Tab-separated table of all heavy atoms in Angstrom:
chain	number	residue	atom	x	y	z
N	273	SER	N	18.249	56.433	-29.776
N	273	SER	CA	18.961	56.115	-31.016
N	273	SER	C	19.659	54.741	-30.933
N	273	SER	O	19.696	54.009	-31.922
N	273	SER	CB	19.996	57.194	-31.306
N	273	SER	OG	19.346	58.434	-31.536
N	274	ALA	N	20.133	54.403	-29.749
N	274	ALA	CA	20.785	53.120	-29.572
N	274	ALA	C	19.781	51.986	-29.739
N	274	ALA	O	20.093	50.904	-30.284
N	274	ALA	CB	21.394	53.003	-28.147
N	275	ALA	N	18.510	52.228	-29.387
N	275	ALA	CA	17.453	51.218	-29.574
N	275	ALA	C	16.967	51.140	-31.002
N	275	ALA	O	16.591	50.091	-31.480
N	275	ALA	CB	16.285	51.524	-28.622
N	276	ALA	N	16.969	52.316	-31.684
N	276	ALA	CA	16.345	52.351	-33.027
N	276	ALA	C	17.327	52.057	-34.158
N	276	ALA	O	16.920	51.664	-35.229
N	276	ALA	CB	15.707	53.717	-33.249
N	277	THR	N	18.617	52.232	-33.923
N	277	THR	CA	19.604	51.971	-34.979
N	277	THR	C	20.230	50.603	-34.750
N	277	THR	O	20.085	49.993	-33.693
N	277	THR	CB	20.690	53.042	-34.962
N	277	THR	OG1	21.283	53.130	-33.671
N	277	THR	CG2	20.062	54.423	-35.298
N	278	LYS	N	20.927	50.169	-35.761
N	278	LYS	CA	21.451	48.801	-35.740
N	278	LYS	C	22.981	48.790	-35.672
N	278	LYS	O	23.651	49.585	-36.336
N	278	LYS	CB	21.043	48.027	-36.973
N	278	LYS	CG	19.560	47.710	-37.002
N	278	LYS	CD	19.286	46.775	-38.212
N	278	LYS	CE	17.842	46.364	-38.241
N	278	LYS	NZ	16.937	47.478	-38.548
N	279	ALA	N	23.499	47.858	-34.914
N	279	ALA	CA	24.943	47.561	-34.933
N	279	ALA	C	25.177	46.689	-36.168
N	279	ALA	O	24.270	46.097	-36.727
N	279	ALA	CB	25.344	46.812	-33.648
N	280	PRO	N	26.427	46.621	-36.639
N	280	PRO	CA	26.743	45.796	-37.828
N	280	PRO	C	26.248	44.344	-37.700
N	280	PRO	O	25.766	43.785	-38.655
N	280	PRO	CB	28.268	45.888	-37.920
N	280	PRO	CG	28.626	47.214	-37.302
N	280	PRO	CD	27.604	47.387	-36.186
N	281	ILE	N	26.378	43.754	-36.507
N	281	ILE	CA	25.961	42.379	-36.368
N	281	ILE	C	24.450	42.249	-36.488
N	281	ILE	O	23.946	41.217	-36.988
N	281	ILE	CB	26.415	41.816	-34.983
N	281	ILE	CG1	26.171	40.307	-34.893
N	281	ILE	CG2	25.764	42.530	-33.849
N	281	ILE	CD1	26.923	39.465	-35.901
N	282	ALA	N	23.698	43.292	-36.057
N	282	ALA	CA	22.236	43.230	-36.209
N	282	ALA	C	21.854	43.316	-37.683
N	282	ALA	O	20.881	42.689	-38.141
N	282	ALA	CB	21.622	44.397	-35.409
N	283	LYS	N	22.584	44.128	-38.476
N	283	LYS	CA	22.304	44.223	-39.895
N	283	LYS	C	22.565	42.878	-40.571
N	283	LYS	O	21.842	42.482	-41.451
N	283	LYS	CB	23.192	45.296	-40.513
N	283	LYS	CG	22.802	46.715	-40.004
N	283	LYS	CD	23.697	47.793	-40.674
N	283	LYS	CE	23.342	49.172	-40.179
N	283	LYS	NZ	24.225	50.210	-40.786
N	284	THR	N	23.606	42.168	-40.130
N	284	THR	CA	23.898	40.855	-40.655
N	284	THR	C	22.791	39.880	-40.367
N	284	THR	O	22.347	39.084	-41.245
N	284	THR	CB	25.215	40.316	-40.090
N	284	THR	OG1	26.285	41.229	-40.399
N	284	THR	CG2	25.533	38.942	-40.651
N	285	ALA	N	22.245	39.932	-39.133
N	285	ALA	CA	21.136	39.059	-38.735
N	285	ALA	C	19.919	39.323	-39.616
N	285	ALA	O	19.230	38.388	-40.028
N	285	ALA	CB	20.797	39.243	-37.267
N	286	ASP	N	19.661	40.598	-39.893
N	286	ASP	CA	18.486	40.914	-40.702
N	286	ASP	C	18.654	40.437	-42.179
N	286	ASP	O	17.688	40.050	-42.828
N	286	ASP	CB	18.256	42.463	-40.718
N	286	ASP	CG	17.703	42.944	-39.374
N	286	ASP	OD1	17.240	42.073	-38.602
N	286	ASP	OD2	17.681	44.155	-39.138
N	287	LYS	N	19.888	40.486	-42.685
N	287	LYS	CA	20.110	39.982	-44.052
N	287	LYS	C	19.862	38.483	-44.092
N	287	LYS	O	19.276	37.974	-45.050
N	287	LYS	CB	21.565	40.303	-44.454
N	287	LYS	CG	21.837	41.783	-44.753
N	287	LYS	CD	23.307	42.006	-45.153
N	287	LYS	CE	23.560	43.440	-45.443
N	287	LYS	NZ	24.983	43.710	-45.789
N	288	VAL	N	20.320	37.796	-43.050
N	288	VAL	CA	20.077	36.338	-43.006
N	288	VAL	C	18.578	36.057	-42.940
N	288	VAL	O	18.042	35.200	-43.646
N	288	VAL	CB	20.773	35.711	-41.763
N	288	VAL	CG1	20.364	34.261	-41.605
N	288	VAL	CG2	22.276	35.835	-41.930
N	289	ALA	N	17.871	36.829	-42.099
N	289	ALA	CA	16.401	36.624	-41.941
N	289	ALA	C	15.657	36.877	-43.265
N	289	ALA	O	14.619	36.263	-43.491
N	289	ALA	CB	15.860	37.528	-40.862
N	290	GLY	N	16.166	37.762	-44.091
N	290	GLY	CA	15.528	38.116	-45.327
N	290	GLY	C	15.422	36.949	-46.304
N	290	GLY	O	14.491	36.887	-47.127
N	291	VAL	N	16.365	36.033	-46.211
N	291	VAL	CA	16.364	34.869	-47.150
N	291	VAL	C	16.087	33.546	-46.406
N	291	VAL	O	16.036	32.500	-47.013
N	291	VAL	CB	17.727	34.749	-47.887
N	291	VAL	CG1	17.977	35.975	-48.733
N	291	VAL	CG2	18.893	34.578	-46.897
N	292	PHE	N	15.918	33.682	-45.062
N	292	PHE	CA	15.821	32.472	-44.251
N	292	PHE	C	14.542	31.719	-44.536
N	292	PHE	O	14.529	30.502	-44.708
N	292	PHE	CB	15.891	32.878	-42.747
N	292	PHE	CG	15.963	31.687	-41.857
N	292	PHE	CD1	17.216	31.108	-41.573
N	292	PHE	CD2	14.846	31.182	-41.231
N	292	PHE	CE1	17.295	30.043	-40.717
N	292	PHE	CE2	14.937	30.110	-40.364
N	292	PHE	CZ	16.149	29.546	-40.100
N	293	VAL	N	13.388	32.439	-44.591
N	293	VAL	CA	12.087	31.746	-44.721
N	293	VAL	C	11.980	31.014	-46.063
N	293	VAL	O	11.625	29.868	-46.083
N	293	VAL	CB	10.955	32.786	-44.554
N	293	VAL	CG1	9.605	32.126	-44.866
N	293	VAL	CG2	10.968	33.344	-43.158
N	294	PRO	N	12.310	31.662	-47.191
N	294	PRO	CA	12.271	30.880	-48.468
N	294	PRO	C	13.168	29.673	-48.424
N	294	PRO	O	12.831	28.585	-48.953
N	294	PRO	CB	12.733	31.886	-49.507
N	294	PRO	CG	12.421	33.201	-48.924
N	294	PRO	CD	12.650	33.070	-47.434
N	295	PHE	N	14.334	29.800	-47.778
N	295	PHE	CA	15.255	28.667	-47.682
N	295	PHE	C	14.646	27.517	-46.887
N	295	PHE	O	14.723	26.364	-47.258
N	295	PHE	CB	16.563	29.157	-47.019
N	295	PHE	CG	17.587	28.032	-46.798
N	295	PHE	CD1	18.323	27.537	-47.887
N	295	PHE	CD2	17.796	27.507	-45.559
N	295	PHE	CE1	19.233	26.518	-47.699
N	295	PHE	CE2	18.702	26.501	-45.348
N	295	PHE	CZ	19.436	25.989	-46.449
N	296	VAL	N	14.029	27.859	-45.753
N	296	VAL	CA	13.369	26.819	-44.918
N	296	VAL	C	12.262	26.148	-45.670
N	296	VAL	O	12.087	24.906	-45.597
N	296	VAL	CB	12.834	27.424	-43.628
N	296	VAL	CG1	11.974	26.449	-42.878
N	296	VAL	CG2	14.045	27.857	-42.741
N	297	LEU	N	11.459	26.912	-46.420
N	297	LEU	CA	10.376	26.314	-47.205
N	297	LEU	C	10.939	25.309	-48.234
N	297	LEU	O	10.356	24.228	-48.423
N	297	LEU	CB	9.591	27.416	-47.955
N	297	LEU	CG	8.746	28.363	-47.065
N	297	LEU	CD1	8.192	29.499	-47.864
N	297	LEU	CD2	7.661	27.582	-46.337
N	298	ALA	N	12.012	25.680	-48.848
N	298	ALA	CA	12.651	24.771	-49.822
N	298	ALA	C	13.176	23.507	-49.151
N	298	ALA	O	13.009	22.404	-49.648
N	298	ALA	CB	13.795	25.496	-50.518
N	299	VAL	N	13.808	23.648	-47.972
N	299	VAL	CA	14.337	22.505	-47.259
N	299	VAL	C	13.194	21.580	-46.834
N	299	VAL	O	13.307	20.328	-46.922
N	299	VAL	CB	15.157	22.958	-46.017
N	299	VAL	CG1	15.532	21.770	-45.148
N	299	VAL	CG2	16.412	23.681	-46.485
N	300	ALA	N	12.070	22.129	-46.401
N	300	ALA	CA	10.949	21.308	-45.974
N	300	ALA	C	10.397	20.510	-47.165
N	300	ALA	O	10.059	19.337	-47.002
N	300	ALA	CB	9.867	22.209	-45.373
N	301	ALA	N	10.310	21.186	-48.328
N	301	ALA	CA	9.780	20.495	-49.537
N	301	ALA	C	10.735	19.366	-49.926
N	301	ALA	O	10.278	18.229	-50.276
N	301	ALA	CB	9.634	21.492	-50.666
N	302	VAL	N	12.040	19.624	-49.876
N	302	VAL	CA	12.998	18.610	-50.200
N	302	VAL	C	12.952	17.417	-49.215
N	302	VAL	O	13.044	16.256	-49.588
N	302	VAL	CB	14.438	19.195	-50.229
N	302	VAL	CG1	15.519	18.069	-50.329
N	302	VAL	CG2	14.613	20.172	-51.383
N	303	THR	N	12.750	17.769	-47.936
N	303	THR	CA	12.634	16.700	-46.877
N	303	THR	C	11.492	15.767	-47.214
N	303	THR	O	11.648	14.527	-47.158
N	303	THR	CB	12.435	17.358	-45.519
N	303	THR	OG1	13.541	18.195	-45.207
N	303	THR	CG2	12.292	16.282	-44.440
N	304	ALA	N	10.294	16.355	-47.501
N	304	ALA	CA	9.142	15.526	-47.826
N	304	ALA	C	9.415	14.704	-49.076
N	304	ALA	O	9.080	13.460	-49.098
N	304	ALA	CB	7.917	16.407	-48.031
N	305	ALA	N	9.999	15.289	-50.089
N	305	ALA	CA	10.242	14.574	-51.368
N	305	ALA	C	11.230	13.447	-51.178
N	305	ALA	O	11.001	12.334	-51.730
N	305	ALA	CB	10.780	15.596	-52.404
N	306	VAL	N	12.268	13.641	-50.388
N	306	VAL	CA	13.253	12.569	-50.181
N	306	VAL	C	12.636	11.392	-49.435
N	306	VAL	O	12.857	10.223	-49.801
N	306	VAL	CB	14.459	13.144	-49.373
N	306	VAL	CG1	15.388	12.013	-48.934
N	306	VAL	CG2	15.245	14.125	-50.251
N	307	TRP	N	11.855	11.666	-48.400
N	307	TRP	CA	11.208	10.546	-47.640
N	307	TRP	C	10.236	9.799	-48.552
N	307	TRP	O	10.155	8.550	-48.448
N	307	TRP	CB	10.523	11.070	-46.395
N	307	TRP	CG	11.474	11.343	-45.251
N	307	TRP	CD1	11.811	12.527	-44.703
N	307	TRP	CD2	12.183	10.341	-44.535
N	307	TRP	NE1	12.716	12.327	-43.683
N	307	TRP	CE2	12.961	11.007	-43.577
N	307	TRP	CE3	12.304	8.938	-44.634
N	307	TRP	CZ2	13.806	10.335	-42.676
N	307	TRP	CZ3	13.145	8.268	-43.761
N	307	TRP	CH2	13.878	8.970	-42.794
N	308	LEU	N	9.487	10.521	-49.354
N	308	LEU	CA	8.552	9.864	-50.266
N	308	LEU	C	9.317	8.981	-51.292
N	308	LEU	O	8.907	7.867	-51.624
N	308	LEU	CB	7.693	10.856	-50.991
N	308	LEU	CG	6.624	11.588	-50.117
N	308	LEU	CD1	5.980	12.712	-50.916
N	308	LEU	CD2	5.571	10.563	-49.632
N	309	ALA	N	10.456	9.517	-51.764
N	309	ALA	CA	11.267	8.770	-52.732
N	309	ALA	C	11.865	7.526	-52.117
N	309	ALA	O	12.102	6.541	-52.798
N	309	ALA	CB	12.363	9.677	-53.287
N	310	LEU	N	12.102	7.565	-50.788
N	310	LEU	CA	12.685	6.417	-50.105
N	310	LEU	C	11.634	5.405	-49.728
N	310	LEU	O	11.937	4.391	-49.061
N	310	LEU	CB	13.449	6.897	-48.852
N	310	LEU	CG	14.691	7.737	-49.092
N	310	LEU	CD1	15.291	8.214	-47.764
N	310	LEU	CD2	15.725	6.854	-49.839
N	311	GLY	N	10.353	5.700	-50.043
N	311	GLY	CA	9.305	4.712	-49.810
N	311	GLY	C	8.503	4.927	-48.576
N	311	GLY	O	7.626	4.101	-48.238
N	312	ALA	N	8.719	6.045	-47.895
N	312	ALA	CA	7.933	6.303	-46.676
N	312	ALA	C	6.508	6.718	-47.073
N	312	ALA	O	6.277	7.213	-48.173
N	312	ALA	CB	8.582	7.442	-45.868
N	313	ASP	N	5.566	6.459	-46.140
N	313	ASP	CA	4.197	6.872	-46.457
N	313	ASP	C	4.044	8.389	-46.356
N	313	ASP	O	4.902	9.066	-45.767
N	313	ASP	CB	3.157	6.133	-45.563
N	313	ASP	CG	3.399	6.413	-44.077
N	313	ASP	OD1	3.378	7.578	-43.701
N	313	ASP	OD2	3.554	5.435	-43.317
N	314	ALA	N	2.909	8.912	-46.814
N	314	ALA	CA	2.699	10.354	-46.881
N	314	ALA	C	2.707	10.973	-45.493
N	314	ALA	O	3.234	12.078	-45.285
N	314	ALA	CB	1.398	10.662	-47.614
N	315	GLY	N	2.107	10.285	-44.499
N	315	GLY	CA	2.071	10.812	-43.153
N	315	GLY	C	3.430	10.976	-42.547
N	315	GLY	O	3.739	11.996	-41.927
N	316	PHE	N	4.311	9.998	-42.768
N	316	PHE	CA	5.674	10.066	-42.258
N	316	PHE	C	6.441	11.196	-42.869
N	316	PHE	O	7.139	11.972	-42.181
N	316	PHE	CB	6.392	8.709	-42.518
N	316	PHE	CG	7.727	8.596	-41.864
N	316	PHE	CD1	7.850	8.144	-40.532
N	316	PHE	CD2	8.875	8.923	-42.581
N	316	PHE	CE1	9.103	8.048	-39.952
N	316	PHE	CE2	10.128	8.832	-41.967
N	316	PHE	CZ	10.231	8.379	-40.638
N	317	ALA	N	6.359	11.298	-44.216
N	317	ALA	CA	7.056	12.364	-44.923
N	317	ALA	C	6.530	13.766	-44.484
N	317	ALA	O	7.324	14.695	-44.278
N	317	ALA	CB	6.886	12.205	-46.412
N	318	LEU	N	5.229	13.848	-44.319
N	318	LEU	CA	4.644	15.114	-43.907
N	318	LEU	C	5.090	15.511	-42.488
N	318	LEU	O	5.363	16.671	-42.206
N	318	LEU	CB	3.115	15.023	-43.962
N	318	LEU	CG	2.286	16.251	-43.676
N	318	LEU	CD1	2.531	17.273	-44.761
N	318	LEU	CD2	0.822	15.903	-43.554
């Protein structure tokens, strides 16, 4: 039961993970867009 159930801190980590991936995808897209806007070539931004 100790292995299968979660402590409160583990539940918090899972909540963060649930929104983490979409957030990272958005940050990556913004990163590429900002570098392109600053005049960097596509390879550098990518």
